Amino acid sequence: LLERAEALVLDWIEDHPPDHAGDARHGMAWDDHATALRARHWLSFWEAWVRSPLATPDELVSVLGAIAAHARKLADPAFYTLRHNHGIDQDLT
């Protein structure tokens, strides 16, 4: 199960690099709701994965960088969705 989660996370990062979060080609991947939900789930993944033998140093840097990019995006007041259920998920993250 953890191996599959790792494959999905690494594939997503490859397809939607954090430094392209503002790029229109990746718009829905980095929308308010998806970003909040993914960040919350990736934090749970991180807790198990970082302690596993699966995590290589290069992958650790990649995943942690992507989690940090999610945090920066969610911390941006202009990105927050006020008075909407997406904002609730942003708050929970």
Side-chain angles (χ1 to χ4, degrees), residues 6 9-19 30 42 45-46 49 55-70 72:
E6 175 192 55
V9 169
L10 293 173
D11 183 62
W12 190 95
I13 293 168
E14 183 179 329
D15 290 346
H16 309 285
D19 57 340
W30 286 97
W42 281 16
F45 160 76
W46 174 266
W49 179 73
T56 68
D58 287 342
E59 290 170 341
L60 286 165
V61 169
S62 179
V63 173
L64 190 56
I67 290 171
H70 282 68
R72 283 190 299 275

Side-chain angles (χ1 to χ4, degrees), residues 29-53:
W30 286 97
D31 81 342
D32 57 350
H33 202 211
T35 301
L37 293 175
R38 189 173 40 256
R40 196 163 61 222
H41 291 291
W42 281 16
L43 290 172
S44 295
F45 160 76
W46 174 266
E47 285 294 318
W49 179 73
V50 73
R51 294 181 180 95
S52 81

